[in-house]
Amino acid sequence: MEDGYQNKTAFIKGAKDIAKEVKRQAAKKVGRGVDKMTDEYSKRSYARFEENDDDDYPVVPGGQDGGYYRGDSQAANDDEGGHSDSTEGHDEDDEIYEGEYQGIPRADSSKAADGLAGGDGQQFRDMAQFEGERRKDQEELAQQYETILQECGHGKFQWTLYFVLGLALMADGVEIFVVGFVLPSAEKDMCLSEESKGMLGLIVYLGMMVGAFVWGGLADRIGRRQSLLICLSINSVFSFFSSFVQGYSTFLLCRLLSGVGIGGSIPIVFSYYSEFLAQEKRGEHLSWLCMFWMIGGIYASAMAWAIIPHYGWSFQMGSAYQFHSWRVFVLVCAFPSVAAIASLTTMPESPRFFLENGKHDEGWMILKQVHDTNMRAKGHPEKVFSVTTIKTVKQMDELVDMAGDISTLRRYKLKLTSLFHQVRSNFLAIFNPEYRRTTFMMMAVWFTMSFSYYGLTVWFPDMIKYIQKQEYASRTKFFTKERVEHVTFNFTLENQVHRQGQYFNDKFINLKMKSMVFEDSVFEECYFEDITSSRSFFRNCTFIATLFYNTDLFQNRIINSKLVNSTFLHNKEGCLLDFTDDNNAYMIYFVSFLGTLAVLPGNIVSALLMDKIGRLRMLAGSSVISCVSCFFLSFGSTESGMIALLCLFGGISIASWNALDVLTVELYPSDKRTTAFGFLNALCKLAAVLGISIFQSFVGITKAVPILFAAGALAAGSFLALKLPETRGQVLQ
């Protein structure tokens, strides 16, 4: 007889014919409540639960807020004050009665109840009809919600939320740059091999891929704000730990988990903010929000530039614990995430999420808060929020609690199982016939955009490093068959190659060797003291009666050489930081700073034109221009030329990303929005890993292949983008 269950303290509110039937079947136990139902539902037949003790009844509500459904037809019959709370033990005639506990669980929740649901004669809800009713409710809610947002206006509340969510987006931008900036220092500090360096560079993308998928799915079930708080907290905690851990494997794990945390920020932030924006403001202000990703990149570049080269900012506790400047940088990069958490605690949940989940009163209160905040800021505190009732969406019956002697552990296990099935069902729904074509098209566009963008943006710095290396190598000085006797070297030796030399009774004291190579040389009765070397090697050399004191010229620096009566005392332990690239480090940070700053014009243009020319034209047009700009890369043969092309490509392609973010938000309904966005963003990170791996393999070999790959991917993406539906001027589904 019931459409859903209330908890023990709720009263039975139903149609009169249902109430009479309940009274006729009075039993020993106090009946649980049923929701107020329409005449259509009162005609349905219902299965009964077996008679149980009070504490043995499963509590199965008709919706997440206890089955309270508010539609336009019901508003007139609601109690004064519009509350969803009930008065225990009364029916519509204000009579206290007793009755059997009756209800109809949905098909999958009967299994979760583990046999507590009653007999074989149960009849289950017509799912097709129910989905049709939900879809109709969602369409009505979308139209009404847009009208309400128009009444609330755009003002102080939206701008406050803009800066709060901007911090979360900034944290995502910072995370992308952290590992790339610390890698040159961390690889020396942790003795990383080439394979380990490659894994450290990709681990953040893998973590973000997992995080985007997981948190995107959960945000549609447990709420945008709560999910964002959790994922930012995970990012903050493991970013903090990663700055202190010493072992490479532990550092790798911390960066992975940090990426898992921050991976959910982009899908949640854009979905969250869009649900507070009216139709005519949505495209523009979501594009303005994208600027914070750029700000995150600028912040990371500036902090790396200011902190990492200061090697004096370090301390160590013996040889076991070292805290160098790059660890200070990692710690500072966690600040945006911490600031976002602190700010987000002052903001409410998305009212659209509450209304989609049947929570009328919670959604109404937040919308009233938005209205009142904006009106007070505009100098109209006397304006009253005129909305009294808002359409909510019918909810499926779900097992959310169990009473009696069911253990707490099992109760939580059932809840987690139910949540997992809900998230899985939501994910599969984006591949239903209604959304299948859109989803596959969006997958292709996201993949091609990410493959080309991330591949090129990593390829650019690597090419700049390669050009610098080639230029540096062109200045190398070569010495052959020289003989040096009784000479003391106490100055920096740099960028030299000595072959077949003879050194007798020479002293190398308190100096740095930078890119020094000695081949087929003989050192006899020489003395090396307090030597710090970088990219310096002795190959096929012979050392006779030579003393090495407090140097790092052991094992990995001396290759295929003979040691005759030679001694090593107080060798420098561990891996030392590479001091040779001070100027190059500054240049890389400066290049990244310029590259992120260059997207500012593209951000401004896309924000101003997004609602004027439409999302598809912006996406396709920017992709085509980016495709054309790729062919200019073949002319970038100098360092300054490559920097200019990097800025050009970044400034053009940012408009595509902004349009893609807005389009993704608007193509999917609210109950599937972050799930779809999270999945597409996870695919984006997978494409980034592939693009980076492929493009890096061609550094120093050829430019043609990366250019063709990037141009082809962008051309395909722009063509497929035109096949998507335009969402400009539409209400948020």
mmCIF file of all heavy atoms in Angstrom, residues 310-335:
data_model
loop_
_atom_site.group_PDB
_atom_site.id
_atom_site.type_symbol
_atom_site.label_atom_id
_atom_site.label_comp_id
_atom_site.label_asym_id
_atom_site.label_seq_id
_atom_site.Cartn_x
_atom_site.Cartn_y
_atom_site.Cartn_z
ATOM 1 N N HIS A 310 67.314 28.577 -4.177
ATOM 2 C CA HIS A 310 67.958 28.978 -2.924
ATOM 3 C C HIS A 310 68.330 27.728 -2.129
ATOM 4 O O HIS A 310 67.620 27.307 -1.217
ATOM 5 C CB HIS A 310 67.029 29.874 -2.105
ATOM 6 C CG HIS A 310 66.772 31.199 -2.748
ATOM 7 N ND1 HIS A 310 67.641 32.255 -2.659
ATOM 8 C CD2 HIS A 310 65.740 31.639 -3.511
ATOM 9 C CE1 HIS A 310 67.167 33.292 -3.324
ATOM 10 N NE2 HIS A 310 66.015 32.940 -3.861
ATOM 11 N N TYR A 311 69.445 27.139 -2.483
ATOM 12 C CA TYR A 311 69.824 25.879 -1.861
ATOM 13 C C TYR A 311 70.175 26.041 -0.381
ATOM 14 O O TYR A 311 70.242 25.074 0.361
ATOM 15 C CB TYR A 311 71.013 25.264 -2.614
ATOM 16 C CG TYR A 311 70.690 24.979 -4.045
ATOM 17 C CD1 TYR A 311 71.222 25.763 -5.068
ATOM 18 C CD2 TYR A 311 69.817 23.949 -4.386
ATOM 19 C CE1 TYR A 311 70.909 25.516 -6.391
ATOM 20 C CE2 TYR A 311 69.496 23.697 -5.708
ATOM 21 C CZ TYR A 311 70.049 24.483 -6.709
ATOM 22 O OH TYR A 311 69.727 24.237 -8.012
ATOM 23 N N GLY A 312 70.392 27.293 0.044
ATOM 24 C CA GLY A 312 70.673 27.517 1.457
ATOM 25 C C GLY A 312 69.458 27.333 2.342
ATOM 26 O O GLY A 312 69.582 27.222 3.565
ATOM 27 N N TRP A 313 68.263 27.302 1.727
ATOM 28 C CA TRP A 313 67.032 27.106 2.503
ATOM 29 C C TRP A 313 66.866 25.617 2.805
ATOM 30 O O TRP A 313 65.945 24.972 2.321
ATOM 31 C CB TRP A 313 65.824 27.603 1.723
ATOM 32 C CG TRP A 313 65.811 29.075 1.471
ATOM 33 C CD1 TRP A 313 66.830 29.957 1.629
ATOM 34 C CD2 TRP A 313 64.707 29.842 0.997
ATOM 35 N NE1 TRP A 313 66.438 31.226 1.290
ATOM 36 C CE2 TRP A 313 65.135 31.188 0.898
ATOM 37 C CE3 TRP A 313 63.397 29.543 0.651
ATOM 38 C CZ2 TRP A 313 64.315 32.219 0.470
ATOM 39 C CZ3 TRP A 313 62.567 30.558 0.221
ATOM 40 C CH2 TRP A 313 63.023 31.883 0.135
ATOM 41 N N SER A 314 67.728 25.072 3.575
ATOM 42 C CA SER A 314 67.645 23.638 3.844
ATOM 43 C C SER A 314 68.284 23.333 5.192
ATOM 44 O O SER A 314 69.021 24.140 5.753
ATOM 45 C CB SER A 314 68.363 22.841 2.745
ATOM 46 O OG SER A 314 69.735 23.171 2.711
ATOM 47 N N PHE A 315 67.974 22.168 5.698
ATOM 48 C CA PHE A 315 68.619 21.674 6.904
ATOM 49 C C PHE A 315 68.661 20.157 6.828
ATOM 50 O O PHE A 315 67.951 19.542 6.028
ATOM 51 C CB PHE A 315 67.880 22.132 8.166
ATOM 52 C CG PHE A 315 66.519 21.518 8.335
ATOM 53 C CD1 PHE A 315 66.360 20.298 8.993
ATOM 54 C CD2 PHE A 315 65.386 22.143 7.831
ATOM 55 C CE1 PHE A 315 65.119 19.728 9.146
ATOM 56 C CE2 PHE A 315 64.132 21.570 7.982
ATOM 57 C CZ PHE A 315 63.995 20.368 8.642
ATOM 58 N N GLN A 316 69.489 19.554 7.628
ATOM 59 C CA GLN A 316 69.554 18.099 7.636
ATOM 60 C C GLN A 316 69.878 17.608 9.032
ATOM 61 O O GLN A 316 70.510 18.303 9.830
ATOM 62 C CB GLN A 316 70.578 17.594 6.631
ATOM 63 C CG GLN A 316 72.009 18.029 6.900
ATOM 64 C CD GLN A 316 72.933 17.539 5.809
ATOM 65 O OE1 GLN A 316 72.602 17.566 4.630
ATOM 66 N NE2 GLN A 316 74.106 17.060 6.202
ATOM 67 N N MET A 317 69.396 16.417 9.307
ATOM 68 C CA MET A 317 69.632 15.769 10.593
ATOM 69 C C MET A 317 70.460 14.518 10.312
ATOM 70 O O MET A 317 69.916 13.464 9.962
ATOM 71 C CB MET A 317 68.301 15.423 11.265
ATOM 72 C CG MET A 317 67.434 16.653 11.537
ATOM 73 S SD MET A 317 65.756 16.242 12.087
ATOM 74 C CE MET A 317 66.120 15.363 13.605
ATOM 75 N N GLY A 318 71.771 14.686 10.400
ATOM 76 C CA GLY A 318 72.656 13.594 10.041
ATOM 77 C C GLY A 318 72.598 13.349 8.540
ATOM 78 O O GLY A 318 72.302 14.235 7.748
ATOM 79 N N SER A 319 72.874 12.129 8.130
ATOM 80 C CA SER A 319 72.789 11.785 6.715
ATOM 81 C C SER A 319 71.463 11.140 6.365
ATOM 82 O O SER A 319 71.189 10.866 5.200
ATOM 83 C CB SER A 319 73.932 10.829 6.350
ATOM 84 O OG SER A 319 73.830 9.641 7.118
ATOM 85 N N ALA A 320 70.606 10.923 7.375
ATOM 86 C CA ALA A 320 69.353 10.194 7.145
ATOM 87 C C ALA A 320 68.211 11.106 6.743
ATOM 88 O O ALA A 320 67.315 10.703 6.017
ATOM 89 C CB ALA A 320 68.975 9.413 8.403
ATOM 90 N N TYR A 321 68.228 12.358 7.226
ATOM 91 C CA TYR A 321 67.095 13.238 6.946
ATOM 92 C C TYR A 321 67.594 14.556 6.375
ATOM 93 O O TYR A 321 68.413 15.249 6.999
ATOM 94 C CB TYR A 321 66.279 13.508 8.214
ATOM 95 C CG TYR A 321 64.982 14.228 7.929
ATOM 96 C CD1 TYR A 321 63.833 13.512 7.629
ATOM 97 C CD2 TYR A 321 64.922 15.617 7.931
ATOM 98 C CE1 TYR A 321 62.650 14.167 7.342
ATOM 99 C CE2 TYR A 321 63.744 16.276 7.646
ATOM 100 C CZ TYR A 321 62.607 15.542 7.355
ATOM 101 O OH TYR A 321 61.442 16.185 7.056
ATOM 102 N N GLN A 322 67.106 14.894 5.188
ATOM 103 C CA GLN A 322 67.474 16.139 4.533
ATOM 104 C C GLN A 322 66.216 16.858 4.078
ATOM 105 O O GLN A 322 65.281 16.232 3.570
ATOM 106 C CB GLN A 322 68.390 15.867 3.340
ATOM 107 C CG GLN A 322 69.699 15.190 3.715
ATOM 108 C CD GLN A 322 70.570 14.906 2.506
ATOM 109 O OE1 GLN A 322 70.150 15.079 1.368
ATOM 110 N NE2 GLN A 322 71.796 14.474 2.755
ATOM 111 N N PHE A 323 66.205 18.165 4.260
ATOM 112 C CA PHE A 323 65.056 18.979 3.849
ATOM 113 C C PHE A 323 65.590 20.138 3.019
ATOM 114 O O PHE A 323 66.025 21.151 3.545
ATOM 115 C CB PHE A 323 64.303 19.494 5.081
ATOM 116 C CG PHE A 323 62.960 20.098 4.766
ATOM 117 C CD1 PHE A 323 61.822 19.315 4.735
ATOM 118 C CD2 PHE A 323 62.836 21.458 4.492
ATOM 119 C CE1 PHE A 323 60.581 19.865 4.453
ATOM 120 C CE2 PHE A 323 61.602 22.012 4.204
ATOM 121 C CZ PHE A 323 60.478 21.211 4.186
ATOM 122 N N HIS A 324 65.552 19.956 1.697
ATOM 123 C CA HIS A 324 66.116 20.951 0.798
ATOM 124 C C HIS A 324 65.035 21.931 0.325
ATOM 125 O O HIS A 324 63.846 21.760 0.598
ATOM 126 C CB HIS A 324 66.783 20.268 -0.396
ATOM 127 C CG HIS A 324 67.990 19.472 -0.014
ATOM 128 N ND1 HIS A 324 69.138 20.047 0.470
ATOM 129 C CD2 HIS A 324 68.223 18.129 -0.035
ATOM 130 C CE1 HIS A 324 70.037 19.110 0.729
ATOM 131 N NE2 HIS A 324 69.510 17.931 0.433
ATOM 132 N N SER A 325 65.473 22.920 -0.434
ATOM 133 C CA SER A 325 64.569 24.008 -0.826
ATOM 134 C C SER A 325 63.396 23.522 -1.672
ATOM 135 O O SER A 325 62.301 24.086 -1.606
ATOM 136 C CB SER A 325 65.349 25.080 -1.583
ATOM 137 O OG SER A 325 65.998 24.520 -2.717
ATOM 138 N N TRP A 326 63.596 22.469 -2.459
ATOM 139 C CA TRP A 326 62.495 22.001 -3.288
ATOM 140 C C TRP A 326 61.358 21.445 -2.427
ATOM 141 O O TRP A 326 60.195 21.474 -2.829
ATOM 142 C CB TRP A 326 62.972 20.957 -4.303
ATOM 143 C CG TRP A 326 63.447 19.655 -3.741
ATOM 144 C CD1 TRP A 326 64.710 19.314 -3.401
ATOM 145 C CD2 TRP A 326 62.638 18.491 -3.470
ATOM 146 N NE1 TRP A 326 64.765 18.027 -2.925
ATOM 147 C CE2 TRP A 326 63.507 17.495 -2.961
ATOM 148 C CE3 TRP A 326 61.283 18.200 -3.601
ATOM 149 C CZ2 TRP A 326 63.053 16.238 -2.591
ATOM 150 C CZ3 TRP A 326 60.834 16.948 -3.241
ATOM 151 C CH2 TRP A 326 61.706 15.979 -2.742
ATOM 152 N N ARG A 327 61.685 20.969 -1.232
ATOM 153 C CA ARG A 327 60.641 20.498 -0.320
ATOM 154 C C ARG A 327 59.860 21.681 0.264
ATOM 155 O O ARG A 327 58.657 21.559 0.522
ATOM 156 C CB ARG A 327 61.266 19.664 0.797
ATOM 157 C CG ARG A 327 61.928 18.374 0.301
ATOM 158 C CD ARG A 327 62.490 17.560 1.454
ATOM 159 N NE ARG A 327 63.142 16.351 1.017
ATOM 160 C CZ ARG A 327 62.521 15.196 0.766
ATOM 161 N NH1 ARG A 327 61.208 15.113 0.944
ATOM 162 N NH2 ARG A 327 63.186 14.134 0.373
ATOM 163 N N VAL A 328 60.530 22.793 0.459
ATOM 164 C CA VAL A 328 59.822 24.009 0.873
ATOM 165 C C VAL A 328 58.815 24.409 -0.199
ATOM 166 O O VAL A 328 57.675 24.787 0.095
ATOM 167 C CB VAL A 328 60.820 25.150 1.139
ATOM 168 C CG1 VAL A 328 60.080 26.427 1.541
ATOM 169 C CG2 VAL A 328 61.822 24.763 2.215
ATOM 170 N N PHE A 329 59.225 24.313 -1.441
ATOM 171 C CA PHE A 329 58.329 24.631 -2.559
ATOM 172 C C PHE A 329 57.099 23.718 -2.570
ATOM 173 O O PHE A 329 55.967 24.181 -2.760
ATOM 174 C CB PHE A 329 59.096 24.500 -3.874
ATOM 175 C CG PHE A 329 58.228 24.515 -5.102
ATOM 176 C CD1 PHE A 329 57.595 25.676 -5.509
ATOM 177 C CD2 PHE A 329 58.036 23.359 -5.850
ATOM 178 C CE1 PHE A 329 56.794 25.687 -6.635
ATOM 179 C CE2 PHE A 329 57.240 23.356 -6.969
ATOM 180 C CZ PHE A 329 56.611 24.531 -7.362
ATOM 181 N N VAL A 330 57.306 22.416 -2.373
ATOM 182 C CA VAL A 330 56.178 21.473 -2.330
ATOM 183 C C VAL A 330 55.210 21.848 -1.214
ATOM 184 O O VAL A 330 53.983 21.801 -1.387
ATOM 185 C CB VAL A 330 56.691 20.025 -2.144
ATOM 186 C CG1 VAL A 330 55.525 19.064 -1.921
ATOM 187 C CG2 VAL A 330 57.496 19.590 -3.360
ATOM 188 N N LEU A 331 55.742 22.248 -0.064
ATOM 189 C CA LEU A 331 54.902 22.638 1.065
ATOM 190 C C LEU A 331 54.093 23.895 0.744
ATOM 191 O O LEU A 331 52.897 23.969 1.033
ATOM 192 C CB LEU A 331 55.788 22.873 2.293
ATOM 193 C CG LEU A 331 55.081 23.094 3.632
ATOM 194 C CD1 LEU A 331 54.277 21.864 4.025
ATOM 195 C CD2 LEU A 331 56.103 23.419 4.719
ATOM 196 N N VAL A 332 54.730 24.865 0.127
ATOM 197 C CA VAL A 332 54.047 26.120 -0.224
ATOM 198 C C VAL A 332 52.936 25.869 -1.249
ATOM 199 O O VAL A 332 51.904 26.552 -1.240
ATOM 200 C CB VAL A 332 55.078 27.137 -0.758
ATOM 201 C CG1 VAL A 332 54.392 28.346 -1.377
ATOM 202 C CG2 VAL A 332 56.000 27.589 0.374
ATOM 203 N N CYS A 333 53.128 24.887 -2.104
ATOM 204 C CA CYS A 333 52.124 24.598 -3.136
ATOM 205 C C CYS A 333 50.843 23.989 -2.564
ATOM 206 O O CYS A 333 49.845 23.879 -3.280
ATOM 207 C CB CYS A 333 52.710 23.661 -4.188
ATOM 208 S SG CYS A 333 53.846 24.500 -5.317
ATOM 209 N N ALA A 334 50.862 23.591 -1.306
ATOM 210 C CA ALA A 334 49.646 23.067 -0.673
ATOM 211 C C ALA A 334 48.759 24.187 -0.135
ATOM 212 O O ALA A 334 47.603 23.930 0.231
ATOM 213 C CB ALA A 334 50.008 22.105 0.459
ATOM 214 N N PHE A 335 49.248 25.419 -0.095
ATOM 215 C CA PHE A 335 48.490 26.517 0.495
ATOM 216 C C PHE A 335 47.157 26.800 -0.209
ATOM 217 O O PHE A 335 46.147 27.027 0.456
ATOM 218 C CB PHE A 335 49.342 27.785 0.535
ATOM 219 C CG PHE A 335 50.464 27.740 1.541
ATOM 220 C CD1 PHE A 335 51.426 28.737 1.594
ATOM 221 C CD2 PHE A 335 50.571 26.687 2.452
ATOM 222 C CE1 PHE A 335 52.461 28.688 2.518
ATOM 223 C CE2 PHE A 335 51.602 26.623 3.378
ATOM 224 C CZ PHE A 335 52.545 27.632 3.406
#
